[in-house]
Amino acid sequence: MSEDTIFSKIVRREIPSEIVYQDELVTAFRDVNPQAPTHVLIVPNKAVPTVADVGADDEPALGRMVTVAAKLAEQEGIAHDGYRLIFNCRSHGGQEVYHLHMHLLGGRPLGPMLHLKS
Ligand code: AMP
């Protein structure tokens, strides 16, 4: 069984969060430390730790995450200019919370995809 994270608590509404969308498969809420005018996290309700742990059973939720991202981008008014969807995976990917999530970022030019550090 996956370890419970802060995101599972948000999904179950046990801790406060600005939830912008929720259905039977996924939950979307605003990032507490936004990196762009729109910064929403979209998570499967089921706690899969990382992209590397996704199984065939998770495919409906992963597909829903993308369609919800596109709908939220329309609602946020960022769809026309464009936006970025990011999955960070494990330590080299910069993942901090081990409940799989997709970042929806937009509202300003986001620049090059990677900020490389030596
Ligand atoms: P990652 O580095 O891909 O694991 O991203 C984790 C993200 O979760 C970061 O952008 C954090 O700002 C965000 N975050 C951490 N705790 C919370 C929280 N309680 N509510 C909303 N966002 C959070």
Side-chain angles (χ1 to χ4, degrees):
M1 190 168 155
S2 298
E3 206 176 303
D4 212 19
T5 69
I6 195 160
F7 289 176
S8 295
K9 293 183 175 69
I10 289 171
V11 167
R12 297 194 299 263
R13 296 176 183 256
E14 291 170 3
I15 59 167
S17 175
E18 195 179 341
I19 292 178
V20 292
Y21 179 86
Q22 188 166 44
D23 63 24
E24 79 285 8
L25 290 177
V26 306
T27 301
F29 52 91
R30 296 201 189 277
D31 196 294
V32 278
N33 184 23
Q35 303 299 307
T38 291
H39 189 171
V40 171
L41 300 175
I42 305 165
V43 309
N45 294 341
K46 178 188 151 195
V48 180
T50 79
V51 170
D53 303 300
V54 166
D57 287 357
D58 302 310
E59 287 174 1
L62 273 284
R64 184 71 58 84
M65 286 165 69
V66 175
T67 54
V68 166
K71 274 185 209 149
L72 290 175
E74 288 285 350
Q75 280 174 30
E76 296 278 318
I78 62 172
H80 179 267
D81 287 336
Y83 49 90
R84 186 170 291 160
L85 302 176
I86 300 174
F87 285 95
N88 294 323
C89 182
R90 296 182 173 164
S91 61
H92 281 197
Q95 186 173 1
E96 291 169 1
V97 179
Y98 278 69
H99 179 134
L100 186 150
H101 51 281
M102 185 169 68
H103 297 255
L104 165 62
L105 293 149
R108 65 167 171 81
L110 294 168
M113 190 169 70
L114 295 174
H115 297 278
L116 297 173
K117 289 185 204 160
S118 55

